[in-house]
Amino acid sequence: MRVDVVGITEFRLPDDVPLELDAEGPEALAEFAGRACYESWSKPNPATATNAGYLRHVIEVGHLSVLEHAQVTVYIRGISRSLTHELIRHRHFSYSQLSQRHIPEGEYVVPEPVASDPELAAQFTAATEQAHAAYEELMTQIESKLAQVDSTARRKRARQAAQTLLPGARSTDIVVSGNLRAWRQFIAVHGTDQADDEIRELAVVLLQRLREVAGNAFGDFEISTLPDGREIASSALVTEG
Amino acid sequence: MRVDVVGITEFRLPDDVPLELDAEGPEALAEFAGRACYESWSKPNPATATNAGYLRHVIEVGHLSVLEHAQVTVYIRGISRSLTHELIRHRHFSYSQLSQRHIPEGEYVVPEPVASDPELAAQFTAATEQAHAAYEELMTQIESKLAQVDSTARRKRARQAAQTLLPGARSTDIVVSGNLRAWRQFIAVHGTDQADDEIRELAVVLLQRLREVAGNAFGDFEISTLPDGREIASSALVTEG
Amino acid sequence: MRVDVVGITEFRLPDDVPLELDAEGPEALAEFAGRACYESWSKPNPATATNAGYLRHVIEVGHLSVLEHAQVTVYIRGISRSLTHELIRHRHFSYSQLSQRHIPEGEYVVPEPVASDPELAAQFTAATEQAHAAYEELMTQIESKLAQVDSTARRKRARQAAQTLLPGARSTDIVVSGNLRAWRQFIAVHGTDQADDEIRELAVVLLQRLREVAGNAFGDFEISTLPDGREIASSALVTEG
Amino acid sequence: MRVDVVGITEFRLPDDVPLELDAEGPEALAEFAGRACYESWSKPNPATATNAGYLRHVIEVGHLSVLEHAQVTVYIRGISRSLTHELIRHRHFSYSQLSQRHIPEGEYVVPEPVASDPELAAQFTAATEQAHAAYEELMTQIESKLAQVDSTARRKRARQAAQTLLPGARSTDIVVSGNLRAWRQFIAVHGTDQADDEIRELAVVLLQRLREVAGNAFGDFEISTLPDGREIASSALVTEG
């Protein structure tokens, strides 16, 4: 699994707004939007005079709509289609996923805790190789059988149909965009010990990336390690409602 | 594939509104909402005096927000997880899908045009049976291997991981709710000859069900049969924007 | 303020699903959708064997997506445009509002606590009458001034412009559709003592109407009366996230 | 009316992706997302080898979801609350508006075509001044009347109530964030000669700002001037669906 930040909000202060900020990018835009609601450009209160303090306050009082202005886009590679089937249920993100029509190359994600047991992992990999071979064999059959009598369109359809033989572990890539409020919600829901391993791992990695570019908006989150070695991400200030 | 309508809007006219309608349910609510925008309870114009005429006009002039008030819920059974992966990308629906934690029973959807060729179908079925057996074998290994040393939680996680061996053709059920505007959009996008066969077939079946309960809201759609026998659904009045 | 339920989900059980329910309509559909996730049609657990118990459990564990399938539409009359400006910010509802092009008849909403003080109320009403007269006078001026030289379109535009003279207290009507999850969120956010009086009152009235048609989905909400006489609606189980 | 771009997507290419782009920011991210769907990093086709050509193709074939990744935030000042009441109906944007609790300073927007007629404009301004005076007078009454006997909370509520006396022409400021697809839709819907003057003017100004930062995503839009001097914005490629 590889996660790169490929898009991030750049903040531009209008030249006539008397505001000085100690942050930039997504964090700055969120603070700007919050202050615009009261034109509170001056900062008499030390507790909210820093960007970190201001966003902490925003999160504590639940004024989360200001976090919606700032957006981060990530490019996630090497996750399973089983995971993306869960991921794309979130309706506040935008997605561009590697097309099903892209020829699959036989890459599969071995999930935890199977991966950490060599014997189980070998058995898993054998199964995916078998499935991939069955897919390729069916493709060959389709080609030889339909090529003479059938249209290009029908062969194309048959190939698409054949792909449903591929396991959910099939590797895929996806571009996902979301605002800071949506990312907070995603991490809180999927970073728990109740979540499936792959999506939980994704939530933890995402939190790490998001902290690098907008740490003040995730200051209430913690990453901790369970006795069995799994990492989870959580915040006392996010609830599902 | 089986599609049942399990939820549908019931319309209740307030006792002080002087409106007479020749329709009920979703169609009546859509007309009521449209007329409420102008309190146009009387019907001087014969062209829009019927519900069919009124909704036709609404669709022609693009006043589609009135269609959002009326909702239809369907229970779709026997479709593949490959299809639901596409389906749930639509953000204007609500979904309740058969859980991944439900023990899979080895039911798979043989897609067109593989299904209509007995040899290809047999090959496809052999491959899904092989994949299912590999999944069950891995489960057995996990049980025997981890049962002595590991926690219930870890075994549960291993079982979830093993399920990613199952093909996208694996059968699933899903409850989907959407308003009439969203259903129109879905059918227009997926009812075309460019769509994958299974989702195109679903679009056609959905149109048939929706016409039974709210025909006036789909009066502009047509189902036609292509030279190769496939059915498509389309409307000249729906565009993607 | 008058609130009528004009649309509500009707539930239809598929003939081959072995489920018996002690509720109907929105509550039944929500339970059906929840049970479809595990095909748990039988009810071994007495705590969730009733619809009331089942939905209580759903709400407690936060499995709120099942509440999204059931929808309720209300027709709200006699509220101010100030209120609808707040109301329509909620993105999970669909709206059909009385058009701005509908000729205003001089009806205004006197808000609390002004309304409960006869002198303040009289002053308020005098001000709205004055504003309405100014609007009508401007309209007359526009008519006499532009009628000779200008197009119908320009006069129409001038009339629309004149309407911006009307106070936010101007009365309006609106049709609003939302699913049970969205209604719960709306009531929790606006039913508090921090909310403006008119929208708080609306939240309380909505809760009363919703309880009449889907009480089990709002069993955790309470209406209480503050020392100053205001009513508020709240639930310990709804948070904003 | 003043519109400043305060937030805009910055694009960051992952170091291992062999892609060269002739654009940056929102336009680059949209192209990147589109190419990620097929890993089509090379550009054999000259027609889509430039960012302008690529986005033109995306728009022509309706692959609009790639435009959702790129976001632009604007700070709009000096528009009426009548306009924001229309604006915030759009559910694909995020908003932070100047609070109602911010003390109004008596600034009002004189709408076209009233503004361009000195006599009508004077009459309009007299009416807003009268309304503002009535609001301030009521505030004074509330203060003197309730101060002795009532709580701070009640006085605060009375002040909020008094604000509903203010005309829809009352000036407000708002921060609005949206992705390129949503902005295209907004401009197409509100840039027409059928739209109210103020929101039409906003659509035209927004198009000008967006072209400065993401011109290739709006290459199909045109600004033209009607015989009566009004400017409109339109594209043959945007429809409402």
Side-chain angles (χ1 to χ4, degrees), chain B residues 16 20 24-25 34 53 66 74 113 119 155 171 190 200 235 241:
Chain B
D16 66 329
E20 286 182 33
E24 54 186 17
V66 306
V74 292
E119 281 184 78
R155 286 204 304 283
S171 179
H190 295 293
R200 178 188 49 68
S235 161

Side-chain angles (χ1 to χ4, degrees), chain A residues 1-6 72-80 83-84 87-88 93-98 109 171-178 183 186 198-199 201-203 205-207 209-210, chain D residues 14 16-17 32 36 39 41 69:
Chain A
M1 182 189 301
R2 173 173 177 167
V3 178
D4 290 276
V5 170
V6 293
V72 176
T73 303
V74 293
Y75 185 32
I76 308 171
R77 286 176 281 182
I79 56 175
S80 73
L83 190 159
T84 56
L87 169 59
I88 65 173
F93 293 104
S94 294
Y95 307 98
S96 292
Q97 184 166 5
L98 188 61
V109 177
S171 180
T172 187
D173 305 335
I174 191 166
V175 179
V176 186
S177 294
W183 284 123
F186 180 86
E198 194 184 9
I199 203 164
E201 185 192 338
L202 175 62
V205 173
L206 282 168
L207 177 56
R209 292 292 174 282
L210 289 161
Chain D
D16 66 330
V17 174
F32 172 82
E39 290 186 357
W41 310 126
H69 294 286

